[in-house]
C-alpha cells in the first residue's frame, strides 16, 4: 500500500481518541466536508484493509475507494468527491482472518430506514433560533428550578389515521403546544438514537450520533428542539451508553475482533437485554460515548440526558447468570463502569454546565448525585415510586396499616437529589396503567389518581410522568399505536386532564414546590405520623417566608369535617386546589377557600373539611401592608 503523508493534526486527533481524551470525536470521524470533498474516517484497529462501499462500487471493495491507514493509530480515511448528500455508504472491512465484512458508520448522523442500516451522507448544518432560551438556562441554578417532565415515546404519542408516524416537524406543531398547554416544563424523549427493533423502544441502538430516520432527518429533530426552546420548554434525551444492538453489521466485532465490546463473550453479552455491553474500560470506547453525549447536548441542544441502566454499568452482577460475580476485592462493583460515569459527568458539567444529568439507578449505591460519587445532578427515586404505587393500589381497609409506604421515603429523601418518576416502565408488560392500578370503582380510581398526583407534587424532588397518565388512560401503553386520545370524549377523562394542567401550573408558579427540593429547610414533616387516620399534612417552603405551601391529604373514603392543619403563622389562608372540585371530576360544587388561623398552644392551625380520598393545597393570603397579622 502506498504510504501517505499524514498531517500532524490528524495524528493528534487519533492519539486523543485512542487515549480516551477525544470528547468530540465525531468532528474527526464519520464525515467531514471541505467544499465538494468528503473525508470519511473510521476506527478499525485490527483490519487488514478498509474500503468505502456504496452503490458506486456495487457495495464491493474497489481500489478507487480504498482507505489508507493513519500510520499505526487504527484509523482509516479516504477523501473523495464521488459521494454526495443523501448517498448511502458502509465500510468493507477485511478482518484479520481475511474475511470481508460490511459495517455501517458508527459516527453517522443519519441511516437509511429500517430494515437497512447503511449510513447516509448528511453534512447539512442547522441554523438555530434559541439563543435567548439557552442564555437564560445558563444563568439558572439547575437544582432550584421547576422540573416537571412529560416523558414521551415519540412514535406512539400520536399517529396518523393510517398508523404512520408523525414526523419530528409534525410533532413540533402538535406535541409542543400540548405540553405547553398542560403546564409541564420539560419533554423527555425515550431513546431516538437509531435502532431497528420497534419493540426495544430505542434502547437497543446502533446509531449513537443519529436521530432515528422513522420521523425524519437530524435537522428535523433540531427543528423540534428549537421550537420547544422557543416555547420555553426544555428537552431531555434518554441516553443509553451501557450496551448496543446485537446485529452483525453494526458495532459488534466491528473489524472482525471485539472492538467496542470486551474480548470475553461472557462479559460482553448482556443476556437480560439481548444486547452487547460496551467495554467501558477501553479508552476509545470512552471517547466514543462521551463524544456522543456531547453531540446531543452541544449540536442538538438537548437540555439534559437521562442515563439508562446505570445499575448495569456500575455493578458486575446485574445480568442474568452473573448474579454471583464479584471483583478482585470481593464486591460486585464494576470499577471501569464507575470511572466512566464519573468521567462522563465531569466532562459534561465542565463543557455544558447547564446540562441536567439524570441517573436511572435502582439500588442504594451511595453518592450517585455527589461530586465525589458518580456526579449526576439527579437520581430517579425508584423506592418512592414502588412504595407510592403499592399504597394507592391497596384496598382502603388496609391503608392505615401500610402508611409506612408513604412515609418511609422521608428517611432518605435528602441522601440524593431525587427525581420522582412515574415512567413508561410502570405502565407496560401487564403492570397496568396508572389509572388501572388505582383501587376502587371508576370514580374512586380517578379520586385516588388525583390524590396521588398531589402527593407527588408535594413530596421533595423533581417530577416525571409518562404520557397518557395526565388524563387517566385506562389501557396500558402500547408502543405499536398512538395513545387512546378517544378517551377524551369522556367527561371524567377530560376533567382529569384539566386537573393535571391546573396542578402543573400551580407547581410551576409556586416556588415552594421546587426551590428547596434537596435541603431540609424546604419541607416540614410536622403532620406525617397520622397513619391511623389515613391522613397527612406537610409544608413546603421556598426561600422567602411568604413562599410556603401546605398539602393536606386524606387517603380514605371518609370525609374529615374538622381536620386541623398546622400553618406557619397567623392570618388568613386560601385553598388553591381541592382535588374533589367538580371541575376536576369530583363532587364538590361549593369549595370553601378562606380560613382564619387560630392559636393552639405554641403554633397556629386552621380547621378545614378534608375531602374523602382527596387532597388540598393551601397557602396564606397576602398580608395587607401596615396590618399586624400576628
Amino acid at each position: 500500500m502506498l504510504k501517505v503523508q499524514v498531517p500532524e493534526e490528524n495524528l493528534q486527533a487519533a492519539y486523543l481518541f485512542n487515549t480516551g481524551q477525544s470528547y468530540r470525536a465525531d468532528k474527526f470521524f464519520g464525515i467531514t466536508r471541505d467544499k465538494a470533498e468528503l473525508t470519511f474516517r473510521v476506527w478499525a484497529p485490527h483490519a487488514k484493509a478498509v474500503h468505502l462501499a456504496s452503490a458506486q462500487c456495487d457495495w464491493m471493495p474497489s481500489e478507487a475507494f480504498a482507505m489508507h491507514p493513519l500510520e499505526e493509530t487504527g484509523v482509516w480515511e479516504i477523501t473523495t468527491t464521488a459521494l454526495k448528500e443523501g448517498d448511502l455508504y458502509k465500510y468493507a472491512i477485511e478482518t484479520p482472518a481475511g474475511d470481508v465484512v460490511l459495517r455501517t458508520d458508527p459516527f453517522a448522523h443519519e441511516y437509511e430506514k429500517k430494515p437497512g442500516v447503511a449510513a447516509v451522507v448528511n453534512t447539512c448544518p442547522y441554523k438555530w433560533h434559541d439563543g435567548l432560551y439557552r442564555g437564560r438556562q445558563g444563568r439558572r441554578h439547575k437544582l432550584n428550578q421547576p422540573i416537571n417532565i412529560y416523558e414521551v415515546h415519540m412514535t406512539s404519542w400520536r399517529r396518523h389515521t393510517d398508523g404512520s408516524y408523525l414526523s419530528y416537524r409534525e410533532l413540533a406543531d402538535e406535541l409542543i403546544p400540548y405540553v405547553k398547554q398542560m403546564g409541564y416544563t420539560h419533554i423527555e424523549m425515550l431513546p431516538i438514537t437509531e435502532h431497528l427493533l420497534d419493540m426495544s423502544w430505542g434502547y437497543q441502538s446502533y446509531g449513537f450520533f443519529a436521530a432515528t430516520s422513522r420521523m425524519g432527518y437530524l435537522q428535523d429533530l433540531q427543528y423540534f428542539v428549537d421550537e420547544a426552546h422557543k416555547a420555553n420548554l426544555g428537552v431531555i434525551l434518554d441516553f443509553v451508553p451501557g450496551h448496543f444492538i446485537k446485529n452483525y453489521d453494526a458495532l459488534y466485532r466491528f473489524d472482525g475482533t471485539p472492538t467496542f465490546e470486551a474480548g470475553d463473550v461472557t462479559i460482553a453479552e448482556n443476556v437480560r437485554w439481548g444486547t452487547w455491553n460496551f467495554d467501558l474500560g477501553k479508552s476509545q470506547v470512552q471517547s466514543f460515548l462521551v463524544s456522543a453525549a456531547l453531540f446531543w447536548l452541544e449540536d442538538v441542544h438537548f437540555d439534559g440526558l437521562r442515563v439508562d441502566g446505570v445499575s448495569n454499568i456500575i455493578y458486575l452482577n446485574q445480568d442474568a447468570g452473573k448474579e454471583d460475580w464479584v471483583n478482585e476485592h470481593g464486591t460486585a462493583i464494576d470499577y471501569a463502569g464507575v470511572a466512566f460515569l464519573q468521567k462522563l459527568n465531569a466532562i459534561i458539567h465542565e463543557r455544558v454546565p447547564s446540562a441536567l444529568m439524570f441517573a436511572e439507578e435502582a439500588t442504594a449505591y451511595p453518592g450517585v448525585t455527589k461530586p465525589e460519587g458518580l456526579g449526576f445532578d439527579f437520581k430517579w427515586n425508584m423506592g418512592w415510586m414502588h412504595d407510592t404505587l403499592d399504597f394507592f393500589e391497596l384496598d382502603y381497609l388496609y391503608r392505615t396499616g401500610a402508611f409506612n409506604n408513604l412515609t418511609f421515603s422521608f428517611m432518605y429523601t435528602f441522601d440524593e437529589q431525587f427525581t420522582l418518576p412515574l415512567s413508561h416502565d410502570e405502565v407496560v408488560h401487564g403492570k397496568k396503567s396508572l389509572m388501572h392500578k388505582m383501587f376502587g370503582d371508576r370514580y374512586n380510581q380517578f379520586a385516588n389518581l388525583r390524590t396521588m398526583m398531589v402527593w407527588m407534587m408535594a413530596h421533595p424532588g423533581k417530577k416525571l410522568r409518562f404520557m397518557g397518565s395526565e388524563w387517566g388512560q385506562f389501557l396500558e401503553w402500547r408502543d405499536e399505536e398512538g395513545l387512546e386520545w378517544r378517551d377524551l370524549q369522556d367527561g371524567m377523562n377530560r376533567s382529569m386532564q384539566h386537573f393535571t394542567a391546573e396542578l402543573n401550573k400551580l407547581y410551576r408558579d409556586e416556588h415552594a414546590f421546587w426551590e428547596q427540593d434537596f435541603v431540609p429547610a424546604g419541607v416540614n414533616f410536622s403532620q406525617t405520623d397520622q397513619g391511623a387516620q389515613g391522613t397527612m399534612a406537610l409544608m413546603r417552603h421556598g426561600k422567602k417566608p411568604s413562599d410556603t405551601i401546605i398539602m393536606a391529604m386524606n387517603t380514605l373514603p371518609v370525609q374529615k369535617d374538622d381536620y386541623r392543619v398546622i400553618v406557619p403563622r397567623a392570618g388568613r389562608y386560601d385553598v388553591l386546589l381541592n382535588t374533589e372540585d367538580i371541575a376536576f371530576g369530583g363532587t364538590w360544587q361549593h369549595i370553601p377557600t378562606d380560613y382564619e388561623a387560630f392559636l393552639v398552644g405554641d403554633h397556629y392551625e386552621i380547621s378545614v373539611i378534608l375531602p374523602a380520598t382527596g387532597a388540598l393545597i393551601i397557602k396564606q393570603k397576602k398580608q395587607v401592608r401596615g396590618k399586624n397579622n400576628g
Side-chain angles (χ1 to χ4, degrees), residues 254-437:
F254 187 77
D255 63 3
T257 69
T259 309
F260 290 89
E261 71 278 16
D264 184 341
V265 70
T266 62
I267 296 174
E269 187 172 19
N270 192 309
V271 176
R272 181 159 58 98
W273 290 334
T275 54
W276 298 109
N277 292 318
F278 279 108
D279 185 348
L280 298 175
K282 284 184 180 176
S283 299
Q284 298 92 340
V285 171
Q286 294 170 20
S287 290
F288 178 79
L289 291 171
V290 171
S291 296
L294 285 170
F295 164 75
W296 296 109
L297 294 170
E298 293 181 340
D299 286 16
V300 194
H301 290 197
F302 276 98
D303 298 278
L305 303 175
R306 178 263 197 187
V307 177
D308 177 68
V310 168
S311 299
N312 183 66
I313 294 174
I314 63 176
Y315 289 107
L316 300 167
N317 63 354
Q318 295 295 292
D319 193 18
K322 302 174 185 176
E323 292 85 357
D324 297 327
W325 280 25
V326 294
N327 58 33
E328 63 272 24
H329 302 292
T331 75
I333 301 298
D334 186 333
Y335 294 118
V338 169
F340 165 72
L341 291 175
Q342 291 171 332
K343 179 178 183 176
L344 175 71
N345 284 312
I347 293 166
I348 286 174
H349 287 140
E350 179 182 353
R351 291 185 57 135
V352 192
S354 63
L356 307 172
M357 295 298 291
F358 298 82
E360 189 257 328
E361 205 287 301
T363 76
Y365 185 90
V368 172
T369 58
K370 307 299 182 187
E372 68 277 10
L374 297 184
F376 285 94
D377 298 306
F378 308 102
K379 173 183 174 176
W380 275 26
N381 192 336
M382 312 296 273
W384 173 90
M385 178 269 295
H386 286 298
D387 287 346
T388 292
L389 292 177
D390 286 348
F391 182 86
F392 281 95
E393 287 183 75
L394 278 177
D395 187 306
Y396 292 123
L397 293 172
Y398 306 112
R399 289 189 175 184
T400 58
F403 226 65
N404 187 56
N405 281 37
L406 298 184
T407 58
F408 180 68
S409 60
F410 300 151
M411 302 295 292
Y412 62 85
T413 192
F414 301 117
D415 291 354
E416 301 278 5
Q417 292 157 188
F418 284 116
T419 294
L420 310 181
L422 293 172
S423 75
H424 65 280
D425 272 331
E426 307 316 312
V427 294
V428 73
H429 295 328
K431 296 180 183 176
K432 300 187 291 190
S433 68
L434 289 189
M435 173 65 174
H436 196 181
K437 291 177 193 289

Side-chain angles (χ1 to χ4, degrees), residues 409-477:
S409 60
F410 300 151
M411 302 295 292
Y412 62 85
T413 192
F414 301 117
D415 291 354
E416 301 278 5
Q417 292 157 188
F418 284 116
T419 294
L420 310 181
L422 293 172
S423 75
H424 65 280
D425 272 331
E426 307 316 312
V427 294
V428 73
H429 295 328
K431 296 180 183 176
K432 300 187 291 190
S433 68
L434 289 189
M435 173 65 174
H436 196 181
K437 291 177 193 289
M438 300 295 101
F439 175 73
D441 58 17
R442 182 168 167 78
Y443 177 85
N444 276 283
Q445 285 179 320
F446 275 111
N448 274 291
L449 187 58
R450 292 192 299 268
T451 304
M452 185 176 74
M453 293 305 182
V454 171
W455 159 244
M456 180 184 195
M457 286 301 181
H459 194 289
K462 307 309 181 184
K463 324 298 178 187
L464 177 143
R465 284 169 291 172
F466 188 55
M467 63 184 194
S469 67
E470 70 270 21
W471 71 73
Q473 176 171 304
F474 187 80
L475 293 180
E476 273 192 342
W477 167 52

Side-chain angles (χ1 to χ4, degrees), residues 134-153:
R134 301 225 334 145
R136 285 198 306 267
Q137 292 305 109
R139 295 188 295 271
R140 299 187 77 169
H141 191 296
K142 64 175 72 176
L143 301 184
N144 299 339
Q145 65 174 303
I147 297 179
N148 184 16
I149 301 166
Y150 188 67
E151 188 190 32
V152 180
H153 181 249

Side-chain angles (χ1 to χ4, degrees), residues 193-195 200 202-208 240 243-245 251:
T193 44
E194 191 59 276
H195 57 285
S200 78
Y203 288 99
Q204 295 183 6
S205 180
Y206 68 88
F208 285 79
V240 189
H243 55 102
F244 58 89
I245 195 172
L251 297 179

